[in-house]
Amino acid sequence: MTSTAADPTRPASEDLPARTVRVISPEIARSWLLVNAMKTELFDESAVSRADAVILDIEDAVDPSHKDEARENVSRWLASGGSAWVRVNDATSPFWADDLAGLRGTPGLLGVVLAKTESADQVTESFHRMDGKTPVIPLVESAVGIEEANHIAKAQGAFRLAFGSGDFRRDTGMAATPEAMAYPRAKLVVASRVGNLPGPIDGPTVGTNHPILREQSAITVMMGMTGKLCLAIDQTTVINEVISPTPSDVAWASDFMRDFEANGRVIRDGSDLPRLGRAEKIMKLATAFGVRPAI
């Protein structure tokens, strides 16, 4: 009889249930999973989770006395075949230069998330210190950063904006309500459009309450943001579901495109072009995320 017990000599990831791996482009990635760089036991598990993107965190999650160790943990895992983004310390910190120097040229590094970004120069300097090829996600976490968002979005190397909502609230004293957070979210959405970037990534939901997570993810979508940071693996499925087109959306888009093609792709009135744009976007996302139309 074959035993199904886990072999303690094998990596934990080898005992995880197999699933179909769907590679999601970072331009449209929905769930961005933050992983403490000191918790190396979570690296493999996070990599095979349902997160669209994984961010190994050597900034807020790590005590200053452990920064070097955290950076080494990340470099070692990436060099051994791992693949992830890395949140580095902000450009005004004493760790920023070492972070970039230590990560430069590391195999498996998909890009860096620059903490507490407040200027376009910080993005561009980080981009050039890496190799001039590694994308930078500016994490905007302060009043200054929000007001500079248009310039940050147009900086060389900027890939996609992200919202550090917790630090922003701490900086401004604003509440976490949708009304209070509407301005900074809208600012990042507009700035992303100005900079010709993909939709921005919203801040995380703290806690384990999935109904609250679902509600806050719906606000993310309503505000025009197209991704969301998350703090635990079990949050990824909720975020992915809410930020994806619904089966009814896909059914509408499929029907519209079928009718549009059948009529020779002729624009019949002023509403056709906006509807065509929406239908094409839905179909693209549905294909990428594997969403089928409602029957």
Side-chain angles (χ1 to χ4, degrees), residues 151-174:
H151 299 298
I152 291 170
K154 292 189 286 186
Q156 185 181 19
F159 178 77
R160 194 172 172 185
L161 301 182
F163 185 28
S165 51
D167 278 336
F168 176 79
R169 292 195 302 270
R170 182 164 57 249
D171 181 47
T172 61
M174 296 171 72

Side-chain angles (χ1 to χ4, degrees), residues 26-276:
E27 286 91 348
I28 59 171
R30 302 156 294 181
S31 51
W32 291 74
L33 177 61
L34 284 161
V35 182
N36 188 332
M38 292 300 291
K39 296 184 177 180
T40 56
E41 70 277 7
L42 297 178
F43 289 8
D44 286 345
E45 182 181 359
S46 298
V48 297
S49 73
R50 297 188 182 277
D52 285 350
V54 173
I55 306 170
L56 303 181
D57 187 7
I58 58 178
E59 195 242 351
D60 263 1
V62 178
D63 184 84
S65 64
H66 296 299
K67 296 290 187 182
D68 290 344
E69 181 182 354
R71 192 184 307 117
E72 180 57 33
N73 289 343
V74 168
S75 296
R76 186 184 308 113
W77 185 78
L78 292 174
S80 66
S83 179
W85 294 71
V86 179
R87 176 159 74 167
V88 298
N89 289 276
D90 70 271
T92 66
S93 77
F95 311 107
W96 169 73
D98 288 341
D99 286 347
L100 299 183
L103 291 169
R104 178 172 176 159
T106 303
L109 177 66
L110 300 177
V112 296
V113 178
L114 180 62
K116 299 177 176 63
T117 303
E118 292 192 329
S119 74
D121 287 344
Q122 292 173 346
V123 177
T124 302
E125 180 66 16
S126 297
F127 181 65
H128 286 299
R129 284 199 179 215
M130 293 298 292
D131 51 18
K133 299 177 183 177
T134 301
V136 178
I137 293 179
L139 184 59
V140 181
E141 309 184 67
S142 67
V144 171
I146 288 293
E147 291 306 291
E148 288 293 315
N150 285 1
H151 299 298
I152 291 170
K154 292 189 286 186
Q156 185 181 19
F159 178 77
R160 194 172 172 185
L161 301 182
F163 185 28
S165 51
D167 278 336
F168 176 79
R169 292 195 302 270
R170 182 164 57 249
D171 181 47
T172 61
M174 296 171 72
T177 62
E179 294 83 1
M181 291 295 101
Y183 173 73
R185 285 182 169 128
K187 182 75 173 182
L188 293 179
V189 170
V190 173
S192 296
R193 185 69 189 92
V194 168
N196 198 30
L197 302 182
I201 302 162
D202 201 1
T205 294
V206 178
T208 58
N209 188 307
H210 280 192
I212 291 177
L213 174 63
R214 183 175 296 277
E215 179 182 323
Q216 294 190 357
S217 298
I219 293 169
T220 296
V221 174
M222 179 182 68
M223 291 301 302
M225 307 181 94
T226 57
K228 185 172 173 64
L229 297 170
C230 50
L231 305 175
I233 288 175
D234 67 353
Q235 292 185 330
T236 61
T237 52
V238 175
I239 291 170
N240 288 348
E241 178 188 345
V242 176
I243 296 182
S244 297
T246 66
S248 59
D249 287 336
V250 180
W252 170 84
S254 299
D255 291 345
F256 176 85
M257 293 302 298
R258 188 181 303 112
D259 182 61
F260 188 65
E261 294 289 345
N263 285 279
R265 298 183 65 87
V266 175
I267 301 300
R268 295 160 295 187
D269 56 52
S271 66
D272 267 356
L273 278 178
R275 289 193 295 170
L276 175 61

